[in-house]
Amino acid sequence: MTITLPTEIYVIPLETNRFLVYVPLRQIAFVANSRLVNFLADLQSGIINDKTDNDDSTVKFLEGLGLLEPKADILPIISCKGKPQPVSVTLLLTTACNLRCSYCYASAGDTAPKFMPFEIAKQGIDFVIRNAVKKGEKQIEVNYHGGGEPSVHWDVLTSSFEYSQCESKKRGLEVIGSMATNGVLQKSQIDWLIKNFQGVSVSFDGLPSAHDKYRKTASGIGSSSKVIDSLKKFDDADFPYGIRMTITPDHIPMMADSIEYVCSHFHPQRIQLEPAYQTGRWSGAPSAETKAFIAGFREALGRAKKYGHELFFSAARLGLLTNHFCGVSQDSFVISSEGNITACYEAFSETTDWSDIFFYGKPGTKKGSYDFDMKKLNKLRKLSVENRKYCTGCFARWNCAGDCSYKSLSIENSQKLQ
């Protein structure tokens, strides 16, 4: 009897005589003892010659899981080719910020601020509208992010989005609007967002004491009360939003309590937990990417489940199979405040670390056009996980997809300097 196993099957030790068997491309995971693990190893040789009754029942068990189905596994590899024709644009409106968060990757507020002129936003919006019409798409996306707080540049945020709505309507297109924000907003701004956008991502660290320790205003005052007020107004309007929680080493013991606080007081669609990256103001600070973080995340998952909330960590996307960690390797079309094109939110300025790697385009000589450095862009496209040697053989590679490219470069460089 010839039995063919999937090409990728991983056995992860848990404890004495217990192993996690994970088959990512079949979305199968189960706990096995050493006998079953050895049986799987024998199956990988291709042929079972002496099938005992017990072996037969084991085969039926594996068949029931779908492990032995005679089909070829399809690798979740998607790649971009040719000149980019995006129908989604992210505008990095400003490097100015009303907060001075201790772990800000952009060190926002430490240098002279930059502000995007309306004409730069307009050109990017016109470009994705033309692409959408050409490709027969039904909608475009206009997102606001930055090396600062987008709402600080409010006039251009509102005028550019209203322009996108007007121009899209003329062509029968829908506009999906969103923003990443620190949540320190005025009531009039909240009302505008609720009326115009389809959602926002709010940076909020859960327990007010944890939030206020690291997310202070420019004058040194904790910002949790302002963020809480924004979240309550979003909830009252049934406006969709997500929460992005940054975890420092000293916050790890409180992770589960922070999740409990958020879930019991607010109604986000999704909550994202991420360890503080050792970039920007947090460069050289202690790492939160530890076993303690994983343990805390597991406990937090249980707390969130009680309330029916989804908890998300970028390195543990078990429900997703992909070769891309983010848009860096997918032609992400992000416009800096000066009008140039970057693939990475964290490479938000032409003067940031690794800007020479992530910036791949600039306004073209022809009005309204962009010139793309295809050599750079093709290198970015190859930052997908199947091209990362250090990910080869890792059981999580199709879930994690190689982690953040910007963060990896920053950590590798800091280690070389030590």
Side-chain angles (χ1 to χ4, degrees):
M1 175 183 180
T2 301
I3 299 178
T4 304
L5 286 176
T7 54
E8 293 194 24
I9 180 167
Y10 301 95
V11 177
I12 305 159
L14 297 176
E15 54 192 53
T16 303
N17 200 33
R18 294 182 80 243
F19 303 84
L20 174 65
V21 178
Y22 181 44
V23 191
L25 299 180
R26 301 279 179 94
Q27 294 284 270
I28 296 171
F30 59 95
V31 176
N33 57 22
S34 56
R35 183 186 178 283
L36 181 49
V37 168
N38 290 332
F39 184 72
L40 287 170
D42 290 340
L43 283 178
Q44 285 181 314
S45 66
I47 299 176
I48 300 176
N49 293 317
D50 183 17
K51 187 176 71 173
T52 65
D53 291 340
N54 190 46
D55 289 338
D56 188 46
S57 64
T58 303
V59 169
K60 288 180 180 179
F61 167 72
L62 297 175
E63 286 177 335
L65 292 173
L67 189 62
L68 305 183
E69 291 181 9
K71 63 179 181 181
D73 289 328
I74 300 175
L75 298 179
I77 294 177
I78 299 174
S79 58
C80 299
K81 297 179 180 179
K83 289 188 176 181
Q85 293 182 306
V87 295
S88 174
V89 60
T90 298
L91 302 174
L92 306 181
L93 289 185
T94 181
T95 59
C97 192
N98 48 3
L99 297 187
R100 295 295 183 271
C101 300
S102 302
Y103 41 66
C104 177
Y105 69 87
S107 300
D110 289 355
T111 57
K114 298 178 181 179
F115 295 92
M116 176 181 288
F118 172 78
E119 286 302 316
I120 285 178
K122 176 180 178 295
Q123 179 173 338
I125 290 167
D126 286 340
F127 185 68
V128 296
I129 287 176
R130 288 199 302 272
N131 290 334
V133 171
K134 182 178 179 180
K135 296 167 72 173
E137 300 285 352
K138 301 297 183 182
Q139 66 183 35
I140 65 166
E141 294 182 7
V142 180
N143 312 300
Y144 296 88
H145 208 284
E149 167 57 32
S151 65
V152 171
H153 201 19
W154 188 249
D155 287 346
V156 168
L157 190 157
T158 54
S159 61
S160 63
F161 191 72
E162 288 163 1
Y163 173 80
S164 74
Q165 290 175 309
C166 179
E167 293 302 305
S168 294
K169 186 176 181 180
K170 294 177 183 177
R171 297 160 178 80
L173 297 171
E174 182 183 0
V175 184
I176 305 299
S178 66
M179 178 176 76
T181 176
N182 60 31
V184 180
L185 303 163
Q186 299 174 17
K187 183 181 183 301
S188 59
Q189 293 175 324
I190 295 171
D191 292 341
W192 188 93
L193 293 172
I194 291 171
K195 181 180 178 181
N196 290 278
F197 278 6
Q198 280 65 50
V200 296
S201 173
V202 182
S203 295
F204 181 55
D205 290 344
L207 292 170
S209 59
H211 181 98
D212 288 340
K213 183 174 182 179
Y214 293 106
R215 291 189 179 273
K216 298 182 185 297
T217 65
S219 58
I221 300 172
S223 60
S224 64
S225 61
K226 293 286 188 181
V227 183
I228 288 170
D229 185 59
S230 297
L231 297 180
K232 287 181 177 179
K233 286 182 171 60
F234 290 149
D235 283 336
D236 289 343
D238 289 325
F239 179 70
Y241 65 92
I243 286 177
R244 206 276 194 187
M245 191 179 296
T246 301
I247 306 298
T248 57
D250 61 337
H251 191 179
I252 289 174
M254 298 179 285
M255 282 172 65
D257 290 340
S258 280
I259 291 300
E260 183 91 33
Y261 176 80
V262 167
C263 292
S264 61
H265 287 79
F266 311 105
H267 304 286
Q269 287 195 325
R270 189 173 78 164
I271 306 168
Q272 181 176 356
L273 280 171
E274 296 291 336
Y277 290 171
Q278 293 170 296
T279 58
R281 289 201 190 102
W282 203 246
S283 296
S287 174
E289 296 187 74
T290 60
K291 290 183 179 179
F293 175 86
I294 299 301
F297 181 78
R298 286 172 173 163
E299 183 180 356
L301 274 175
R303 301 280 188 97
K305 188 176 181 180
K306 291 192 307 180
Y307 295 89
H309 281 293
E310 178 187 359
L311 207 57
F312 172 77
F313 168 41
S314 61
R317 304 176 294 185
L318 294 180
L320 176 69
L321 295 179
T322 179
N323 62 325
H324 302 284
F325 177 79
C326 66
V328 163
S329 51
Q330 299 182 86
D331 294 1
S332 183
F333 185 65
V334 184
I335 303 180
S336 74
S337 58
E338 296 184 16
N340 298 310
I341 311 304
T342 176
C344 178
Y345 298 154
E346 300 204 20
F348 58 90
S349 167
E350 292 78 357
T351 59
T352 58
D353 291 339
W354 321 120
S355 60
D356 58 326
I357 293 175
F358 294 103
F359 273 83
Y360 69 91
K362 61 183 180 180
T365 53
K366 183 179 178 182
K367 185 178 179 180
S369 69
Y370 289 94
D371 291 335
F372 298 108
D373 185 329
M374 295 307 297
K375 185 177 180 180
K376 279 190 175 183
L377 183 57
N378 286 326
K379 284 184 177 180
L380 291 169
R381 288 168 172 173
K382 290 181 180 179
L383 290 176
S384 50
V385 73
E386 73 274 16
N387 299 313
R388 294 177 178 266
K389 291 183 179 179
Y390 62 81
C391 293
T392 301
C394 176
F395 71 92
R397 68 172 181 154
W398 301 116
N399 308 119
C400 164
D403 207 350
C404 170
S405 296
Y406 188 93
K407 181 179 68 173
S408 297
L409 287 168
S410 300
I411 292 175
E412 287 171 10
N413 185 62
S414 65
Q415 290 174 344
K416 289 177 183 178
L417 295 175
Q418 290 176 0

